[in-house]
Amino acid sequence: MFHDSPLKPFHRPTGYPGYFLRKLTSHLEFNAIGGLTMGAEPVAFSMFSHSSAKNKELTVFSVRKTPKEHGLRRLIEGPSVTDKQVLVVEGVSTTGASALKAVEAVEAAGGLVVGVAAIIDRGGSSLFSEKGI
């Protein structure tokens, strides 16, 4: 039997995920946030929105799954992460593989990853505990 749930997607932007993640990561110093495309972008922009309201200077970036085959052929889109202190984010972390790919891309581009944060952790955090992140 089909049941039409009263739960509906948000019909307007909300900053709550960004607010809570910003609170949870307040012990970290970072000036760039981002992660693997699609899963990280809403989280990063929510944190950016909250942080910019508090006059915290942040840049947001996105890591592609593969570099573009035309144009600048970038793996990381957005402002440079070189010499930045970076927080890698994602929506749901199951294995941690997506965030790990973002961590590797940031480090290869000369950024320093200071932490990894997810809205929902389904086991991915153990990967980063092993790596000391």
Side-chain angles (χ1 to χ4, degrees):
M1 177 177 187
F2 177 78
H3 175 70
D4 186 18
S5 171
L7 297 175
K8 304 290 183 203
F10 289 114
H11 63 279
R12 62 179 187 240
T14 178
Y16 291 125
Y19 171 79
F20 289 115
L21 269 185
R22 189 67 187 111
K23 287 287 217 183
L24 291 171
T25 59
S26 64
H27 64 287
L28 298 172
E29 289 293 325
F30 55 92
N31 49 19
I33 50 177
L36 202 62
T37 190
M38 297 301 284
E41 289 160 348
V43 178
F45 279 105
S46 181
M47 289 184 75
F48 173 78
S49 173
H50 171 71
S51 297
S52 63
K54 300 289 184 193
N55 296 321
K56 169 79 174 163
E57 289 292 323
L58 287 178
T59 58
V60 178
F61 66 91
S62 181
V63 178
R64 293 178 174 276
K65 292 178 182 173
T66 58
K68 285 173 53 174
E69 294 183 14
H70 60 281
L72 297 176
R73 301 172 190 241
R74 298 169 120 186
L75 184 59
I76 298 178
E77 293 293 338
S80 173
V81 296
T82 303
D83 298 326
K84 298 274 187 171
Q85 294 176 302
V86 176
L87 177 67
V88 171
V89 296
E90 64 179 334
V92 178
S93 181
T94 304
T95 65
S98 295
L100 181 59
K101 183 168 182 136
V103 166
E104 291 168 347
V106 166
E107 290 175 341
L112 172 66
V113 176
V114 298
V116 175
I119 300 289
I120 299 171
D121 179 19
R122 292 189 174 150
S125 62
S126 61
L127 176 66
F128 297 101
S129 295
E130 294 169 9
K131 295 188 171 293
I133 298 175

